[in-house]
Amino acid sequence: MQKHILLVFTLSLAGLLVFAQPDPWKITATDIQPSNYYGITVANGMIGVVSSPEPFKVKDVVLAGVYDQYGRGRVSNFIRSFNLLNMNLEIDGSRVQASNIQGLRQELNMREASFTSSFEVPGKATVTYTYYALRQLPFTVLMDVSIEAKKDIRITASSVMEAPDLLKDVQNYYNEIDRPHVVLSLLTSTAKSPTGKLQLCASNSFLFNEPHGKEPRVIHEMWDNNMHLMKFSQQLKGGETYHFSIAGTSITSAHHDDPLNEAERLTIYARLEGRDRLLQFHHQAWNRLWESDVQITGDPQAQQDVHSMLYHLYSFTREGTALSPSPMGLSGLGYNGHVFWDTELWMYPAVLVLHPELAKSMVEYRFQRLEAARRNAFSKGFKGAMFPWESAEKGVEETPVWALSGPFEHHITACVAIAAWNYYRVTQDKDWLREKGWPLLSATAEFWASRVERNGPGHYDIKNVVAADEWAENVDNNAFTNAAARANLQYATAAAKLLGLTPDPDWLQVANNIPILKMADGVTQEHATYKGEGIKQADVNLLSYPLKEVTEPAAVLRDLEYYEQRVPDAGTPAMTQAVFTTLYARLGNKEKAAKWFKESYVPNLNPPFRVIAETKGGTNPYFSTGAGGIVQSVLMGFGGLEITDKGIVQIKSVLPPSWKKLTITGVGVQKKTFTVQQ
């Protein structure tokens, strides 16, 4: 009898475990603690909306490309936009808030790029709302609201437009446009950025399901200079479910010469498209994005996590722009929204392999700032183009002066060039190479030819730099800087020959004489005075991947075993371990690769949506740099994908022991499928 009971319990537990497996597309939170809550972002590459634990509130609205100088560091910073999705809901005269609801449940649907909150108002109603950053409309958001009455109730719903504190000269408007077939109620606000440089505008409108003439009456209320609202009331019978939506637009003078009127025009456009068409086109756009996917068999949690990483990379980038994501993407104001090597070396390769059209926007960002890079080189006494360590709107150096990386972290220039060459290699687009790739490659090659100090054969030294390992400041002959400069010069030479041009013969002369230092035991030395100290992040190991400077397996392993022991357990960014993952997978060590894969992000996850912080225990998510590095470890490590002069090929690799199969779909311009099985 006891065995029978035990068997039943075991089978029941097994069933629960199967049922509790992570959903590959949905991240659900039911244990929501406001004091330990890190929001998840819904974004479309232009506008990002960050979730809040409070009902009908969002934490931040962030717009790509919107910078002004205020506060921190006397440099340009990302600016919060108007919060155009906040709402108030009253039921029978009582405001719905966290203290009087039960069963709050929030869910990110990555397949559909939507965020849903649902809860009970005890004895009165079940409430659900879902919002979207519409993929087909770069400046437009949509929120759907559903209220199921448990008894006869009266609801009053208010759309609240509130200006962040840093904005000034706020002006609020309310307009009703009456046409024979529709009445449009527009809640609109405009303000100046902190220095007055930019005009920020937002507008929204209710979308009702009732036929024209039967819609609820909308009332406008002005509360103070920074906040106003529009509201309507409705009587519901017990058992009745009432639906309505809010469509809104946020846009600035960085995007349009007449942002105030354009905000209202775009809101009117969305309002008259209607909810169903808006969602139809949004879903179609995301279906196209997810044609390029990573499918993992055998590890449901890894599948969900990798989908989350891909979702964020897709959400933070947009086709047809000249915008490039910051380390935190559109999840907040981290790193002032500036663009670093995080884009070119960490996020870009994964995006390039899966969606070259998205990656093209990142390269276009640099191309349009090439002249600023030329001026930067000129000011330092060099030729060609020298890209800034931190870049924002104009492409000038935006690093705060206290950070030595601004004047000295020069490897960023080579990272930009390598990204440009890889775009050509993946797309084989020779017209693009001639028009945009070549100017980037040749100007950066000119920089390195002038940057080296020519101290004899094998000693074209690159002195006084901040290494890729940023704890090494003002050092000579940094391994990554030197190897990246060599690659830049070699790629520029190759591009010239491909285009029928005559390359500067000095470029290969310089490349062949830039030293890569070695220690007595053959390990690559991080820089000239390196003596085995701890390292902040990957440097030497990047010479094996992605630079291919160190290729012999024994040498790759020698460097890997040495430097993996020199990364502290805490305080370092979440991408170094991803490089270790990639290299061990390519070397065929599945156990070590699996270990470093988990180490690369699991200790950095924050509740309740498993968002990645920059460091273990960090509180500044979402760290899309880390996501890019980890996705690379899946694509180029476990998946064995390799970017070559002939396009994307697959080399031998291994999977973690728990993974049964890895399928990568929609790769490159041919949208190929690659698989790896145990």
Side-chain angles (χ1 to χ4, degrees), residues 177-198:
I177 301 174
D178 194 350
R179 291 290 186 271
H181 64 296
V182 67
V183 174
L184 295 157
S185 302
L186 293 173
L187 187 72
T188 305
S189 291
T190 181
K192 295 292 186 183
S193 61
T195 69
K197 167 189 169 185
L198 295 175

Side-chain angles (χ1 to χ4, degrees), residues 337-507:
H338 292 172
V339 180
F340 299 70
W341 76 318
D342 299 56
T343 301
E344 280 79 16
L345 202 82
W346 301 100
M347 292 180 259
Y348 174 84
V351 176
L352 174 63
V353 163
L354 295 172
H355 278 289
E357 74 281 5
L358 298 180
K360 187 177 184 180
S361 294
M362 302 184 199
V363 186
E364 182 68 19
Y365 171 85
R366 297 296 190 181
F367 175 75
Q368 292 193 11
R369 290 155 182 81
L370 180 56
E371 287 309 309
R374 289 185 184 277
R375 293 192 296 271
N376 191 31
F378 177 79
S379 73
K380 307 298 188 301
F382 302 124
K383 296 179 181 178
M386 175 184 176
F387 282 90
W389 178 242
E390 297 189 31
S391 181
E393 180 187 3
K394 300 294 186 182
V396 301
E397 184 61 73
E398 297 271 7
T399 306
V401 295
W402 50 262
L404 300 184
S405 49
F408 296 107
E409 198 154 355
H410 296 172
H411 65 78
I412 178 65
T413 295
C415 293
V416 171
I418 292 166
W421 180 241
N422 280 336
Y423 180 79
Y424 167 73
R425 294 208 291 177
V426 167
T427 65
Q428 299 291 300
D429 185 344
K430 195 175 287 188
D431 290 337
W432 178 90
L433 180 64
R434 180 177 291 104
E435 180 185 352
K436 297 184 176 181
W438 170 248
L440 285 166
L441 285 159
S442 58
T444 51
E446 288 174 11
F447 166 74
W448 290 113
S450 70
R451 176 65 178 83
V452 297
E453 299 178 25
R454 305 185 185 214
N455 296 315
H459 292 283
Y460 283 30
D461 302 309
I462 302 176
K463 295 189 173 184
N464 199 21
V465 298
V466 170
D469 164 22
E470 291 174 326
W471 287 347
E473 296 181 329
N474 301 100
V475 298
D476 298 340
N477 288 326
N478 166 240
F480 179 74
T481 303
N482 285 20
R486 287 175 61 155
N488 188 163
L489 292 157
Q490 291 162 356
Y491 295 162
T493 301
K497 293 177 179 177
L498 198 65
L499 294 171
L501 304 173
T502 301
D504 186 337
D506 187 50
W507 293 347

Side-chain angles (χ1 to χ4, degrees), residues 27 55 65-66 148 183 211 213 251 253 328 364 413 430-431 482 511 625:
I27 305 175
V66 182
E148 181 185 356
V183 174
I251 193 168
S253 56
M328 304 304 176
E364 182 68 19
T413 295
K430 195 175 287 188
D431 290 337
N482 285 20
T625 306

